[in-house]
Amino acid sequence: MDKFIIEGGNKLQGRVKISGSKNAALPIIAAAILTDEELILKNIPDLKDITTMINLLKELGCFAKKENGTLYIRCKNIKSSKAPYELVKTMRASILVLGPLLARTGVAYVSMPGGCAIGVRPINLHLKALEIMGANINIDKGYIVAQSKKLTGGEIYFDTPTVTGTENILMAAATAGGKTVIKNAAKEPEIVDLANILNNMGANIEGAGTSTIIVNGVKKLGGIEYSVMNDRIEAGTFMCAALITSSFIEIENAPVYAMDAIVDKFREAGGIVEQKGDNLIIAGGKIIKPVNIKTSVYPGFPTDMQAQFISVLSLAEGVSIVKETIFENRFQHVAELNRMNADIVVSNNQAVINGVETLIGATVMATDLRASASLVIAALAAEGVTEILRIYHLDRGYENMETKLANLGAKIRRIKA
Ligand code: EPU
C-alpha cells in the first residue's frame, strides 16, 4: 500500500487547478445506462472510484474509453443486469446503477452495499422509493433483486434527504410512465448537475436544487456531450491547506456558487477569500480563529469538509466545537490527529477541539477518503515529518493530490508499495 511522506512547516504559493467532481461524475456515468446512444463526458477526474464505476458499466456490457479527461461511453446493449459484490464492496456508490438498470432492462441485481468506515449507511430510502414506482424488490443472498416491467411515476417523500437516493430516483423516473414528485429531495449541486445532463439527454426534470423535484417521464433519452462540474470539496480541501499554513494561493475553476458554507467558515476562521472570475484568491490569516461548525445537508456545511476543518481548527487560538449530524462514525481522523499532538475530545456526535500551538509529525493511518485529506492538511503544518499510511483511500477521490501540493511548494512524496 502506497504512503505519503510529508515534511511540514512550508508555506504554499502559486496556483492549483480543481478537477471534475467525483460525486457529480459518478451518477452521470451511471446515467449512460439510460440510453443506447453515446455520451461524451468531459472533465471526468482520474480517480479510483471513477475507474470502478467505468468497470462496473463495462461489466454490464457498455463500451467505455477514457482519453485525457474525456469519457466516451455507450451502452448500446445491456448484456448483464448484475452489479457484482466484488465491485460494489470497493465502492458504495455502485448503488447508483440500481435506478437506471431497472429503468432500462426491467431488472437489476445489485449487491447490497455494506456499511463503511463512516457509518452504517442504509439504502432503505432508495428501495422504498423504487417500490412506490412499481418495482418489486427482494433481498437474496446479499443482493437486491429489483424487477419491474415498466416503472411508473409516483409521489415520493424522503424521510431524510439522501444524495445518491435522490439521484437514483431521478434516473429511474426519467423514463418512467407519468409524473414522479420527489419531496424532501437532497439539494446538493451534484444533483443539479445530474438533472442538467438528463434534461440535455431529453428528460423533463424541474426543481433540481430545491426540495421538490418533478420528473415527467419521457419515452427515450439520447446521447450528448456534457462537461461535469468542478469539485467543491477538492477546492475546499485546498482552502484548508492554505489556511493551516497561512499561505496565499489561487484556486482555479472552483465552483464558487456551490461553496457558500465552506467560504463562510473559512472566513470565520480568519482566512481571506476573494473571487476573481471562476478563481478564488485565498489567504490564510496570521492566526487561526476558533469556529463552531455543524454539518448538515446542502446548503449547510458539508460533512465531506468536516475532517479537513478539524485539522485546521486543531491549531486555532481557542476552543472550537464541531457537530457531525449526517454520519454516525465520521470522527476516525481525530485519534490520528491526537497522535500528532492535537487536543480533540469526541463525545457522541461532537468534537471539542482545544487549539494547540503545534502539531508534531508522526506515523498516522488514513481510514477513509476525507480523513486522509485531513491528515495531509495537518501534516503540511506539523513540525517534522509525517508518514501517512493507506493513502489508497485518498486516491479514491483526489486527483493527483501530491503533484498539486508539490507544485504549490509542499514537501510531499509518495512511496509506492
Ligand atoms: N440514509 C438513510 N437511508 C437511505 C439513504 C441515506 O437513512 O436510504 C441516511 C444516511 O445514513 C445518512 C444520510 O441519510 O445519515 C445522508 O446520506 P446520503 O444518502 O445523502 O449519502 P450518500 O448518498 O450515500 C453522498 C456522497 C458522500 C457524502 C454524502 C452526504 C456520493 C457518491 N457520496 O453519499 O460522499 O458524504 O452524500 O453529503 O455522492 C465522499 O465523497 O467522501 C462521500 C462520503
Side-chain angles (χ1 to χ4, degrees):
M1 281 182 262
D2 291 6
K3 60 183 178 185
F4 277 166
I5 306 285
I6 298 176
E7 232 177 273
N10 294 293
K11 279 209 192 284
L12 307 179
Q13 59 170 0
R15 289 171 152 224
V16 59
K17 194 168 172 189
I18 296 309
S19 300
S21 158
K22 166 181 83 81
N23 288 348
L26 288 170
I28 284 176
I29 295 171
I33 296 171
L34 290 167
T35 171
D36 58 6
E37 294 177 15
E38 184 184 57
L39 291 186
I40 300 174
L41 303 176
K42 298 194 160 166
N43 205 28
I44 298 288
D46 198 7
L47 300 170
K48 185 94 181 307
D49 275 8
I50 297 293
T51 308
T52 306
M53 184 58 92
I54 294 172
N55 286 342
L56 177 52
L57 264 73
K58 282 183 176 169
E59 181 93 11
L60 304 176
C62 308
F63 167 83
K65 186 177 73 175
K66 189 155 177 273
E67 265 174 13
N68 304 323
T70 299
L71 176 67
Y72 302 83
I73 187 155
R74 182 168 188 195
C75 302
K76 191 168 177 209
N77 299 301
I78 300 287
K79 295 197 180 92
S80 157
S81 282
K82 180 173 176 180
Y85 175 68
E86 290 65 36
L87 282 171
V88 178
K89 75 171 185 208
T90 63
M91 186 184 70
R92 301 189 84 266
S94 308
I95 191 67
L96 284 165
V97 301
L98 177 63
L101 255 185
L102 188 58
R104 173 86 183 263
T105 68
V107 55
Y109 195 56
V110 178
S111 176
M112 285 276 281
C116 81
I118 61 177
V120 181
R121 305 186 73 180
I123 50 148
N124 57 314
L125 300 174
H126 303 225
L127 303 186
K128 186 175 161 195
L130 288 173
E131 278 177 336
I132 291 172
M133 296 178 72
N136 187 336
I137 296 182
N138 292 299
I139 307 296
D140 183 29
K141 301 190 189 80
Y143 277 79
I144 302 157
V145 185
Q147 284 168 303
S148 163
K149 279 211 176 85
K150 175 76 183 152
L151 289 169
T152 50
E155 278 237 345
I156 289 154
Y157 170 78
F158 282 129
D159 210 15
T160 189
T162 157
V163 176
T164 49
T166 303
E167 291 164 348
N168 241 333
I169 301 313
L170 270 186
M171 291 188 276
T175 54
K179 176 166 147 182
T180 303
V181 180
I182 311 173
K183 292 187 178 161
N184 204 20
K187 296 185 269 194
E188 269 64 6
E190 293 76 14
I191 291 168
V192 178
D193 214 28
L194 174 65
N196 284 344
I197 183 173
L198 290 171
N199 280 340
N200 285 339
M201 289 164 72
N204 182 348
I205 300 170
E206 279 172 23
T210 74
S211 57
T212 303
I213 305 180
I214 297 170
V215 186
N216 284 299
V218 296
K219 282 225 162 64
K220 198 171 163 7
L221 298 180
I224 47 134
E225 187 175 312
Y226 190 80
S227 187
V228 169
M229 69 176 285
N230 288 320
D231 198 314
R232 63 192 169 107
I233 304 300
E234 188 196 13
T237 301
F238 278 98
M239 286 169 72
C240 285
L243 190 54
I244 202 168
T245 52
S246 303
S247 301
F248 183 85
I249 63 170
E250 185 165 347
I251 301 183
E252 285 181 45
N253 294 340
V256 187
Y257 63 91
M259 294 177 63
D260 288 349
I262 299 171
V263 167
D264 182 60
K265 290 298 166 186
F266 181 87
R267 286 192 170 130
E268 232 182 287
I272 296 166
V273 185
E274 248 180 60
Q275 194 176 340
K276 200 172 99 185
D278 284 341
N279 296 357
L280 284 178
I281 313 289
I282 298 295
K286 278 211 179 74
I287 63 153
I288 297 167
K289 296 183 197 158
V291 169
N292 294 337
I293 293 175
K294 187 172 106 184
T295 65
S296 61
V297 293
Y298 190 84
F301 186 88
T303 173
D304 290 346
M305 282 304 304
Q306 177 255 98
Q308 301 89 316
F309 264 83
I310 285 193
S311 290
V312 172
L313 297 175
S314 69
L315 286 177
E317 287 197 354
V319 181
S320 308
I321 295 178
V322 174
K323 259 192 196 162
E324 171 59 54
T325 73
I326 306 293
F327 294 114
E328 65 276 16
N329 190 29
R330 210 174 196 181
F331 281 129
Q332 291 202 43
H333 41 287
V334 165
E336 300 302 301
L337 291 172
N338 283 346
R339 299 186 62 253
M340 296 176 71
N341 198 46
D343 178 0
I344 308 168
V345 180
V346 172
S347 161
N348 299 320
N349 69 337
Q350 181 168 296
V352 177
I353 304 138
N354 300 298
V356 293
E357 256 175 41
T358 43
L359 290 172
I360 299 171
T363 298
V364 288
M365 195 175 313
T367 48
D368 70 71
L369 170 57
R370 309 302 170 188
S372 327
S374 82
L375 296 177
V376 170
I377 288 166
L380 292 173
E383 272 178 13
V385 176
T386 300
E387 184 183 39
I388 307 178
L389 310 179
R390 298 200 176 173
I391 51 154
Y392 63 88
H393 289 293
L394 192 109
D395 295 334
R396 293 183 55 179
Y398 287 94
E399 186 177 53
N400 298 330
M401 190 185 226
E402 74 268 32
T403 315
K404 289 185 182 185
L405 280 171
N407 288 343
L408 290 172
K411 291 205 169 136
I412 175 168
R413 62 200 162 89
R414 176 185 292 256
I415 308 283
K416 291 250 177 217

